[in-house]
Amino acid sequence: MSAIRNHRPPALAATWLATRALMLWLLAHDRLAPLGRGGVSREVGHLYFHWYGVLSRGAFPAGDRLWQYPPGAGPVLLAPGLLPWLTYFTAFVACTLAADAVIAVALTRAGMRSGRSARGAWLWVLGLPLLLHIPLARYDVQVTAFAVVSLLALSRRPRVSGAFAAMGALVKVWPALALIGTPRGRTTREVWTSAAVTAAALLAVLAAVFSGSFDFLRQQSGRGVQIESLGGTVLGFARHAGWPGTARYQYGAMEFVGPYTGAVAACSLALTVGAFALVLLWRVRARRWTTATPYDAALTAVLLFTVTSRVISPQYMVWLLGLAAVCLTSRHTTQRPVAALIVAATAVSSVVYPMLYGDVVRSTWTGCLLMLLRNGLLATAAGVSFVRLWRSGLPAAAPHRAAPAGRERSTHRIPAGLRTRQ
């Protein structure tokens, strides 16, 4: 067994190098029509670089409708400046690859522990390239690294886990959900206290260094229904039924505008609140915890958050791949079928964008059916994930004893607390 483990890291490393070289090649040929005609890389070269200039002067992009990120995103976008011998674009890609490597190493190390599995590392190494070159031109890999490290540190270093979750949440909010499944008692107190203290300290520092730290809240509240969201899929089909709405670029994404879009956006927010309530209900009602429960709960929460969101950008799949990979490092996870659904949805996402994005924007039948498939896979994954998490938290049923011959087995259920210990 130890010999097999010793051969895993070299194989993973070789696969990582080969797949990342392919992703870099795709990024270098980004202007080809099937790869988006330069649209994928333009966000780093133009928008991120513009924000870098503003942040370098000690201010967040106040009043910029495209700036919708918590203040922790500032240091991430400034990080390429640590490599002054490279262009901003090249340095950004280098930082993204470094975060990618950190995730791969963390998952590999976790998989080599006793009772763990290397499946998680393999899912990450082989799953991320399904998004083509998109992960290299967005900073979602960096955010995912915070969440992955937080979860993997939970069992041994709870305070470190809380600190990394807080740092991730200050970059993009969702890593805070990684703490939803922490074991009750001392671990939860340590993790959540560490997260709160870290978040407060970093917010204070960022507010002192940069002006306009909380302007993103105003821009985020104005977002509508992105065409790739679950609500956007409904509106896409509605166009074929005579709905007069159209797609327009606003708030950094293609969104539907027209009658009833406000109602659809409100329904999405209501569903998000309802999903969060379900996760909280699970936490209150759960009675069984395994080593995989914190991982499974994090994936379930982020899946529900993603599916019900007004926006489901293709790079959101990076989050789900990372959390699914963490789940698969544990042999006790309940989320293996969910991970398979996420991988399938990831593959479809790269067809949606950038390959056939024009069809999605125009709501052609091809575009609508693609969105129905991708979002159907995600919705199914979210439902399966929650059901399996809920069932895993129920008390283990006591085994039935064989009834004596000639006597019928009683169908009366004995309360759990009064059952004889087998």
Side-chain angles (χ1 to χ4, degrees):
M1 188 66 175
S2 61
I4 295 176
R5 285 177 183 164
N6 289 336
H7 283 83
R8 283 172 181 168
L12 277 165
T15 306
W16 186 90
L17 288 171
T19 53
R20 274 46 181 183
L22 175 60
M23 293 170 70
L24 285 171
W25 185 90
L26 293 173
L27 186 62
H29 295 80
D30 181 50
R31 295 195 176 277
L32 296 175
L35 299 178
R37 298 185 183 277
V40 174
S41 60
R42 190 178 301 122
E43 188 148 329
V44 176
H46 293 78
L47 184 59
Y48 288 7
F49 183 61
H50 165 68
W51 286 340
Y52 172 81
V54 177
L55 291 163
S56 298
R57 295 191 291 270
F60 285 100
D64 188 339
R65 297 178 68 183
L66 302 182
W67 180 258
Q68 302 152 15
Y69 309 107
V76 174
L77 295 177
L78 286 171
L82 299 174
L83 306 173
W85 58 90
L86 300 175
T87 65
Y88 182 83
F89 180 86
T90 306
F92 181 90
V93 173
C95 290
T96 304
L97 283 172
D100 176 15
V102 167
I103 295 173
V105 170
L107 291 168
T108 301
R109 293 187 63 183
M112 293 176 68
R113 296 175 192 163
S114 177
R116 295 298 190 101
S117 170
R119 292 191 185 99
W122 281 110
L123 184 144
W124 175 258
V125 171
L126 295 175
L128 195 66
L130 292 176
L131 289 170
L132 306 179
H133 53 307
I134 293 173
L136 299 182
R138 301 293 185 271
Y139 67 89
D140 294 86
V141 174
Q142 289 89 317
V143 182
T144 303
F146 284 113
V148 168
V149 172
S150 171
L151 285 169
L152 294 179
L154 178 62
S155 60
R156 298 187 176 188
R157 297 180 177 86
R159 292 186 178 88
V160 173
S161 173
F164 271 92
M167 287 187 281
L170 288 181
V171 181
K172 279 194 174 180
V173 176
W174 71 265
L177 296 173
L179 303 183
I180 197 70
T182 54
R184 293 194 183 105
R186 180 179 177 181
T187 299
T188 289
R189 290 193 298 272
E190 289 184 353
V191 172
W192 290 10
T193 300
S194 173
V197 171
T198 302
L202 290 177
L203 277 175
V205 171
L206 291 169
V209 174
F210 299 95
S211 61
S213 299
F214 300 98
D215 186 74
F216 75 98
L217 294 172
R218 183 173 56 181
Q219 314 305 332
Q220 184 65 243
S221 62
R223 299 203 73 163
V225 181
Q226 189 209 27
I227 62 175
E228 297 169 69
S229 66
L230 206 61
T233 301
V234 173
L235 293 176
F237 278 100
R239 293 178 78 176
H240 291 279
W243 180 66
T246 58
R248 178 191 302 169
Y249 183 79
Q250 56 185 21
Y251 291 96
M254 295 299 297
E255 296 183 349
F256 279 119
V257 293
Y260 310 114
T261 53
V264 173
C267 285
S268 295
L269 289 173
L271 287 172
T272 300
V273 173
F276 187 63
L278 280 177
V279 175
L280 289 180
L281 179 63
W282 161 80
R283 182 169 179 88
V284 171
R285 298 290 298 275
R287 292 294 178 267
R288 295 180 65 238
W289 251 260
T290 70
T291 54
T293 299
Y295 307 161
D296 296 352
L299 178 59
T300 300
V302 175
L303 254 175
L304 290 170
F305 173 83
T306 301
V307 168
T308 59
S309 174
R310 294 171 293 172
V311 180
I312 308 180
S313 297
Q315 59 266 28
Y316 288 14
M317 301 306 301
V318 176
W319 315 347
L320 302 177
L321 285 172
L323 294 177
V326 173
C327 290
L328 293 190
T329 62
S330 173
R331 299 184 186 275
H332 300 289
T333 184
T334 63
Q335 302 295 303
R336 291 190 187 92
V338 178
L341 289 169
I342 288 172
V343 169
T346 301
V348 177
S349 289
S350 63
V351 179
V352 170
Y353 181 85
M355 292 183 180
L356 297 178
Y357 197 56
D359 288 277
V360 178
V361 172
R362 295 189 302 272
S363 297
T364 66
W365 281 113
T366 298
C368 288
L369 291 174
L370 274 173
M371 292 315 311
L372 181 64
L373 176 59
R374 200 283 299 271
N375 289 340
L377 286 168
L378 285 179
T380 302
V384 172
S385 180
F386 180 76
V387 169
R388 293 178 73 88
L389 177 69
W390 181 273
R391 289 176 177 172
S392 71
L394 298 176
H400 292 290
R401 288 179 175 176
R407 183 183 300 176
E408 292 184 355
R409 180 176 294 172
S410 172
T411 59
H412 177 69
R413 290 187 176 181
I414 303 172
L418 300 179
R419 290 174 184 160
T420 303
R421 182 172 296 175
Q422 301 295 316

